Amino acid sequence: MTAQQGIDDLRAEAVRALEAAGEMEATRQWYREYLGDKGSVSLLTRQIGTLPREERKAFGEAVNAAKTELAALLAEKQERLDTAALNDRILAEALDVTLPGRPVERGFLHPTTRIVREVCDIFGKMGFQTVEGPEVEYAKYNFDMLNIPADHPARDVWDTFHVDSGGVGEIVMRTHTSPMQVRTMLSQKPPVRVVVPGRCYRYEATDATHLAMFYQIEGLAVDEGITLADLKGTLTEFARQMFGSARKTRFRCDFFPFVEPGVDFGIDCPICGGKGCRVCKQTGWIELLGAGMVHPRVLEMAGYDSTKYTGFAFGMGPERLTMLRYGLSDIRDFYTNDVRWLRQMDAAWL
């Protein structure tokens, strides 16, 4: 057998072995057997020195040609195996886009957030701007500048959380959102028309109608010539926007330190239509909020001329509005985080 015949036979053997390799690891083993440092084809180069001088060149060229051809066949084989493996993986991980997708649970706003936005929207249409203020407040704004000095009996009405101020003045968790009315008047000249939503805090025992943390929405309007008639018209329109155009309204005298005169504002019960029920305690009327004409002293402490300007203010609890609209009896339901209850409220929301 000639040297060239041996190369041809080894090449043919290598080609058959490569064709039989059915996976990537088998091709690596094939490479070690034929083209590796100790592979059969690579070892042929060691025979060059044993050949006559005139045959060496042709033999070496034949060996190199065989190695080049086999390397090209190996690369082609590995590429086919890579492609096949990729196709198998794609098929295994394929997503059928015609199948219905997994449903994404829809979120919704908390009832308190909804009623706050609704109230602010109603007053916004009447020219009131929504403003917000700090929940940790100086007693100066929370009490003193609202005509509730430290020695005034009315200050005992609010069970207040006091905050360690570090000697920079008396600081409290605000008991109402009225301090922002003062801050607004200090920052701008009349006319003023604002509503102030936000959280408030009072040290109260928790029951069906009281919480230590609750929301309030305050309103303030100051300008020349504002009268109690403007207050009545504004609140009546609000009640009818919130509870229906057929609502009747009632104003009765009440006391609040920062208004004079003060009133409580009520509507005929939206549950029974004024006939009397458990919600309205058989009276046919429900108190909705407190209001009144801004006390002249409050205007003066804010730097307003009380002989020139007058105004009205009001304050309400948004949770109470929701309870009245839907006949709810326990304010604690708003903050127990019972998703079932919240979903029911979302489904029932008008």
Side-chain angles (χ1 to χ4, degrees):
M1 177 185 298
T2 65
Q4 182 62 46
Q5 184 65 42
I7 295 173
D8 293 339
D9 290 345
L10 185 57
R11 172 192 164 281
E13 176 189 332
V15 170
R16 289 193 297 270
L18 182 60
E19 291 175 350
E23 57 185 20
M24 190 63 69
E25 182 56 34
T27 64
R28 297 191 186 98
Q29 179 63 30
W30 180 92
Y31 175 83
R32 288 191 290 270
E33 291 179 3
Y34 291 98
L35 299 180
D37 292 340
K38 296 181 179 181
S40 302
V41 177
S42 298
L43 291 176
L44 288 176
T45 58
R46 298 184 181 181
Q47 300 179 19
I48 295 176
T50 64
L51 297 175
R53 183 179 300 273
E54 63 275 8
E55 297 180 8
R56 293 176 183 176
K57 180 179 179 182
F59 184 83
E61 290 176 349
V63 171
N64 288 335
K67 291 178 66 175
T68 300
E69 180 185 359
L70 292 175
L73 291 174
L74 174 63
E76 183 181 345
K77 177 74 173 186
Q78 289 180 330
E79 183 178 359
R80 289 200 305 270
L81 291 176
D82 279 339
T83 301
L86 178 61
N87 290 336
D88 292 342
R89 179 180 175 184
I90 290 174
L91 290 175
E93 299 178 358
L95 174 66
D96 186 353
V97 295
T98 65
L99 292 174
R102 295 184 180 90
V104 178
E105 187 171 357
R106 183 180 66 88
F108 49 86
L109 294 175
H110 190 277
T112 300
T113 302
R114 282 186 165 182
I115 203 72
V116 167
R117 292 187 178 184
E118 186 173 341
V119 170
C120 292
D121 183 60
I122 290 173
F123 282 104
K125 294 175 182 177
M126 291 189 278
F128 286 77
Q129 178 186 3
T130 300
V131 297
E132 295 180 342
E135 297 176 16
V136 181
E137 184 61 275
Y138 286 103
K140 169 186 175 181
Y141 300 120
N142 196 81
F143 293 122
D144 299 340
M145 295 189 69
L146 290 170
N147 201 33
I148 314 174
D151 58 351
H152 197 290
R155 197 141 170 175
D156 297 333
V157 174
W158 287 273
D159 299 312
T160 309
F161 289 103
H162 292 266
V163 178
D164 185 359
S165 66
V168 298
E170 186 180 1
I171 297 178
V172 300
M173 300 297 292
R174 67 179 179 188
T175 57
H176 45 189
T177 54
S178 299
M180 196 57 198
Q181 297 182 22
V182 176
R183 288 178 174 272
T184 299
M185 288 191 289
L186 289 172
S187 65
Q188 69 180 76
K189 297 298 182 182
V192 173
R193 284 176 177 80
V194 294
V195 286
V196 189
R199 282 185 292 261
C200 304
Y201 305 85
R202 295 181 190 173
Y203 184 64
E204 296 192 32
T206 299
D207 58 31
T209 57
H210 296 85
L211 287 173
M213 187 282 293
F214 55 96
Y215 275 78
Q216 269 197 354
I217 302 177
E218 304 270 344
L220 172 70
V222 179
D223 203 349
E224 296 184 45
I226 289 183
T227 68
L228 188 61
D230 298 304
L231 171 62
K232 293 178 66 176
T234 300
L235 294 183
T236 298
E237 177 62 21
F238 162 72
R240 290 174 178 171
Q241 289 280 336
M242 178 64 66
F243 294 100
S245 58
R247 289 280 69 78
K248 298 177 183 178
T249 60
R250 181 181 70 176
F251 292 81
R252 299 187 299 176
C253 292
D254 204 345
F255 169 75
F256 303 100
F258 30 81
V259 293
E260 179 61 39
V263 298
D264 80 54
F265 172 65
I267 60 173
D268 59 327
C269 179
I271 307 299
C272 65
K275 298 177 181 178
C277 65
R278 177 181 60 84
V279 176
C280 63
K281 300 179 181 178
Q282 307 302 324
T283 66
W285 293 92
I286 292 180
E287 180 183 345
L288 203 61
L289 54 86
M293 300 301 293
V294 180
H295 199 291
R297 191 172 300 166
V298 174
L299 294 174
E300 290 166 1
M301 283 189 285
Y304 288 6
D305 184 352
S306 61
T307 64
K308 181 179 180 182
Y309 297 109
T310 55
F312 62 76
F314 55 85
M316 67 189 80
E319 293 96 347
R320 178 173 175 78
L321 297 179
T322 306
M323 293 171 71
L324 291 176
R325 175 184 278 183
Y326 295 99
L328 307 176
S329 59
D330 197 325
I331 193 174
R332 291 172 291 190
D333 290 334
F334 285 85
Y335 301 107
T336 54
N337 293 326
D338 188 330
V339 177
R340 297 168 301 174
W341 184 86
L342 293 172
R343 285 198 179 113
Q344 289 178 338
M345 288 299 300
D346 177 61
W349 200 265
L350 297 177

